[in-house]
Amino acid sequence: MTTAPPETVHAREREPEHGDPVGWSFLRSRRWIGYYAMLLVFAVACVLLADWQFDRRAEARAEIARIDANYGAPAVPLGDELPTLDSYDDGVQKWRTVEVTGEYLGDTFLARNRPGPEGVGVALIQPLLTESGDVFFVDRGWAPVGADGTTPDQIPVPAEGEVTVEARLRASEPEVPGRSTVGQTVGSIDLPELAQLADAEDSSYIAAYGMLVAEAPAGDHGVLPAPPERDEGPHLSYALQWYVFIVIAVSGVVYAARQEYRNLNAGSSEVDRQDRRREERRRRRGPTDADEEDAILDG
């Protein structure tokens, strides 16, 4: 009985030596499995970031829809829009115009650190005692700070006596940590805090305040804000860019695999056929500008 040489018995089990054609088997190696894992993690991260941009775009489009529906709508009585002192839905009622009649109370609160046309200033927050006996806070515009850097040199004085106010609804702002109340200045338009400062905790609107649009009779007020911008921003392009990054990463991995295949299978019939096809395509296409420039430089 003839025994086959050991090298013949184990021919399929040995590792290919340098220069031996190995096909695509290297794609099952531990190193390439690591590449796949990194590509998967990168792709998942890109998808999550793209979804985040899509969510931000949806929020911007919802804000534009609110502006279109509410900003130019006719004024309605405050009591109809806000039937209770704590009722307000920012997703539906933001920018709606309300009308209310009452009398401004004496204290003007200054919400500091507000950007304006002349730099940093304050928002003028005036409590309005309505005909129903409740207190509604009105933002009467922006004023620049004076030499002391905290309060205006002159605070606009509202009209005395009965006044009819039109204002656009905005949500109460949260308390800002680290910003304390000093005198008339407050860290934010936090309505529960303003109600406490105005000694009207049980009779104040604490969910929404109004940004002044017009009043009769008119009094002095600060700079009123410009209409909000109807711009959804670049979120859609940013989201699509994250998907482009995935395509680029996959293309890079495919290119790296092809290059490694060529290196490991150099001299094989398959690689030779690919080289001949590539050379034939190049011949039919003719020399490129880069080839002509290289020829000139070589000459």
Side-chain angles (χ1 to χ4, degrees):
M1 181 175 178
T2 303
T3 304
E7 59 272 14
T8 304
V9 174
H10 302 289
R12 295 184 179 182
E13 299 178 3
R14 66 183 178 86
E15 292 291 332
E17 297 178 359
H18 181 69
D20 290 349
V22 296
W24 296 96
S25 61
F26 65 92
L27 294 177
R28 298 190 297 272
S29 67
R30 186 174 302 174
R31 176 168 57 87
W32 273 90
I33 291 174
Y35 293 160
Y36 306 149
M38 289 189 292
L39 178 62
L40 178 62
V41 171
F42 179 77
V44 170
C46 287
V47 170
L48 293 176
L49 289 169
D51 288 345
W52 174 61
Q53 290 292 344
F54 280 128
D55 290 342
R56 295 191 63 187
R57 178 174 182 257
E59 293 172 0
R61 290 173 65 87
E63 177 66 8
I64 292 173
R66 280 192 294 269
I67 294 172
D68 292 342
N70 298 340
Y71 196 83
V76 298
L78 175 64
D80 293 349
E81 193 66 39
L82 301 179
T84 63
L85 298 179
D86 60 354
S87 63
Y88 176 71
D89 185 348
D90 194 58
V92 176
Q93 296 174 291
K94 184 179 181 180
W95 303 118
R96 284 189 181 173
T97 305
V98 296
E99 182 179 87
V100 56
T101 299
E103 183 177 349
Y104 284 120
L105 301 179
D107 296 329
T108 300
F109 299 104
L110 310 175
R112 58 182 179 268
N113 296 325
R114 302 284 162 157
E118 302 175 29
V120 178
V122 297
L124 308 170
I125 311 300
Q126 197 79 33
L128 178 74
L129 181 62
T130 68
E131 291 179 321
S132 62
D134 300 320
V135 173
F136 181 65
F137 291 94
V138 180
D139 180 349
R140 304 190 69 255
W142 176 92
V145 295
D148 63 359
T150 56
T151 59
D153 292 334
Q154 184 176 0
I155 298 176
V157 179
E160 296 183 357
E162 186 176 88
V163 60
T164 299
V165 175
E166 287 188 4
R168 291 189 176 93
L169 294 179
R170 295 298 302 272
S172 173
E173 297 178 356
E175 179 183 356
V176 179
R179 292 187 183 179
S180 58
T181 299
V182 180
Q184 291 178 267
T185 65
V186 294
S188 66
I189 307 177
D190 179 12
L191 296 181
E193 180 188 17
L194 290 173
Q196 183 179 6
L197 295 174
D199 197 20
E201 295 179 77
D202 297 330
S203 59
S204 293
Y205 287 88
I206 57 172
Y209 67 96
M211 300 181 69
L212 180 65
V213 176
E215 58 186 359
D220 293 335
H221 58 74
V223 179
L224 300 182
E229 294 184 1
R230 299 178 65 266
D231 182 14
E232 68 179 48
H235 304 301
L236 178 59
S237 62
Y238 287 165
L240 296 178
Q241 284 177 7
W242 286 113
Y243 286 107
V244 171
F245 292 155
I246 297 176
V247 174
I248 293 174
V250 172
S251 300
V253 171
V254 171
Y255 176 79
R258 291 177 61 86
Q259 289 300 109
E260 185 160 344
Y261 172 85
R262 292 181 57 82
N263 293 335
L264 294 176
N265 296 274
S268 66
S269 58
E270 177 63 25
V271 173
D272 289 342
R273 283 194 299 270
Q274 292 176 3
D275 290 342
R276 287 195 296 270
R277 286 196 297 267
R278 185 179 297 105
E279 186 62 30
E280 180 64 20
R281 287 195 300 268
R282 185 179 303 168
R283 186 185 62 79
R284 292 176 180 176
R285 188 174 62 245
T288 63
D289 293 341
D291 294 334
E292 292 178 356
E293 292 175 359
D294 291 341
I296 294 173
L297 293 175
D298 293 340

